[in-house]
Amino acid sequence: MQKKEFIRKWMKNLRLCTNLKRNMPTLERKSAIKLSADVAIASTRTSSTSWSQAVISNAIKNMDKILVQSISGQKMHSNMKLCRKILQKSRRVTTRKKVVKRSKSIESRIHVLKGLVPGGNEIMDETSLIREAMDYIASLRVQVEVMTSMASLFE
Amino acid sequence: MSTRRASSRQAASASRVNEQQITDLLARLQQILPEIHSRCRRPSDKVSASRVLQETCSYIRSLQREVGDLSDRLSCLLTTNDVESDEAAVIRSLLMRD
């Protein structure tokens, strides 16, 4: 199901991207392709995960806002509401931080993981972080699988 | 005095439940990591939490790298015509590869 949804959304995004600029230089095309794919896979999981919301809000910050609005299929102000929600959630959780004894190596690995999962630094408890990481990995695998098929289609 | 002991007992049991949750999640994570999964002869083989987290980080990094490389390849392969002209056929072919 996620695979179908991703393919549909990615194709729509690609169409929108290539519509905007006819003669794109290769590097721009690479960014457009990657952005379309990242936003598409994230939008298949926005209702249940925070990594996906972080991907979309980062895309909003970094790229042309109009482009992202049309390709994420969400209105601008609803994306902004999502950003605010994420920030609010993280603020609420920090006030109840539990002190759990962990070995230094586990602490440092968790720190690295937070940096790799989008929005990971806003996640305060380990259980949520691990859940987000699992969902993120599953989604990345779908993304890679489809992009690989696409590449073999055109080679 | 007694309320302090009671509340610290509560906190201890709460963190025990949390520990169990984390252990369960790490076990599930272990199942989907290719490196560890292929090396373990049985799923019940214990791998340290630190190792699981380390493998998770490497795996995420390699998947992200793959996405970047694939975007590179596709930027050379895809042109406006490819995507627009036969989109339905492209989607069908992608869906059939299962």
Side-chain angles (χ1 to χ4, degrees):
Chain A
M1 265 313 109
Q2 185 186 25
K3 184 174 167 183
K4 251 190 216 172
E5 195 186 341
F6 168 62
I7 292 174
R8 204 175 31 91
K9 288 185 170 170
W10 186 32
M11 292 296 111
K12 171 182 148 208
N13 296 348
L14 282 175
R15 216 190 321 134
L16 290 164
C17 282
T18 54
N19 270 340
L20 289 168
K21 283 187 187 171
R22 288 277 145 183
N23 296 312
M24 265 187 196
T26 312
L27 206 64
E28 255 192 76
R29 216 180 309 142
K30 177 198 168 169
S31 310
I33 289 171
K34 185 170 187 299
L35 178 76
S36 327
D38 290 345
V39 170
I41 196 70
S43 66
T44 65
R45 302 296 294 150
T46 42
S47 53
S48 30
T49 60
S50 66
W51 69 260
S52 52
Q53 293 165 1
V55 167
I56 292 182
S57 63
N58 282 333
I60 291 172
K61 278 185 230 152
N62 299 329
M63 300 292 292
D64 181 11
K65 292 188 178 168
I66 300 168
L67 169 63
V68 177
Q69 180 182 336
S70 52
I71 70 180
S72 74
Q74 294 167 302
K75 296 246 166 62
M76 262 305 287
H77 54 259
S78 79
N79 281 325
M80 285 316 191
K81 270 194 210 157
L82 288 176
C83 300
R84 250 180 263 129
K85 259 195 199 168
I86 295 171
L87 292 172
Q88 279 168 4
K89 266 190 191 171
S90 63
R91 256 181 249 133
R92 255 185 265 136
V93 178
T94 42
T95 58
R96 298 190 300 116
K97 192 176 178 187
K98 278 185 231 156
V99 181
V100 182
K101 277 196 188 152
R102 288 241 173 272
S103 74
K104 278 201 176 146
S105 83
I106 291 186
E107 286 281 345
S108 67
R109 306 246 191 255
I110 287 182
H111 182 75
V112 173
L113 186 58
K114 281 189 176 184
L116 287 170
V117 173
N121 287 312
E122 317 301 323
I123 302 174
M124 291 307 150
D125 69 298
E126 292 163 0
T127 326
S128 305
L129 178 66
I130 297 174
R131 281 211 190 95
E132 289 282 324
M134 280 169 57
D135 195 277
Y136 182 49
I137 286 176
S139 304
L140 278 174
R141 277 153 68 143
V142 170
Q143 188 179 0
V144 166
E145 185 189 336
V146 173
M147 289 176 86
T148 309
S149 302
M150 183 76 145
S152 65
L153 257 183
F154 287 98
E155 267 169 350
Chain B
M1 282 300 172
S2 60
T3 50
R4 213 183 302 153
R5 250 184 268 138
S7 61
S8 71
R9 241 183 285 133
Q10 259 186 330
S13 66
S15 68
R16 263 200 299 270
V17 172
N18 209 26
E19 288 293 313
Q20 188 55 45
Q21 261 190 317
I22 293 182
T23 315
D24 292 341
L25 282 174
L26 286 175
R28 277 169 62 190
L29 196 47
Q30 189 181 327
Q31 297 298 311
I32 65 175
L33 295 172
E35 265 299 298
I36 298 183
H37 194 66
S38 57
R39 292 214 187 138
C40 286
R41 266 171 267 132
R42 285 164 301 155
S44 56
D45 272 354
K46 276 207 184 124
V47 180
S48 74
S50 173
R51 179 82 208 282
V52 173
L53 289 170
Q54 180 188 24
E55 283 304 318
T56 307
C57 294
S58 331
Y59 192 37
I60 290 181
R61 263 193 227 107
S62 78
L63 285 169
Q64 290 173 335
R65 214 183 312 131
E66 254 195 284
V67 169
D69 291 344
L70 283 163
S71 305
D72 246 330
R73 269 167 73 190
L74 287 169
S75 68
C76 303
L77 297 169
L78 287 181
T79 60
T80 316
N81 287 335
D82 294 326
V83 177
E84 285 184 340
S85 60
D86 220 355
E87 190 174 315
V90 171
I91 295 179
R92 239 179 286 131
S93 321
L94 289 175
L95 285 172
M96 285 204 297
R97 283 157 192 253
D98 233 310

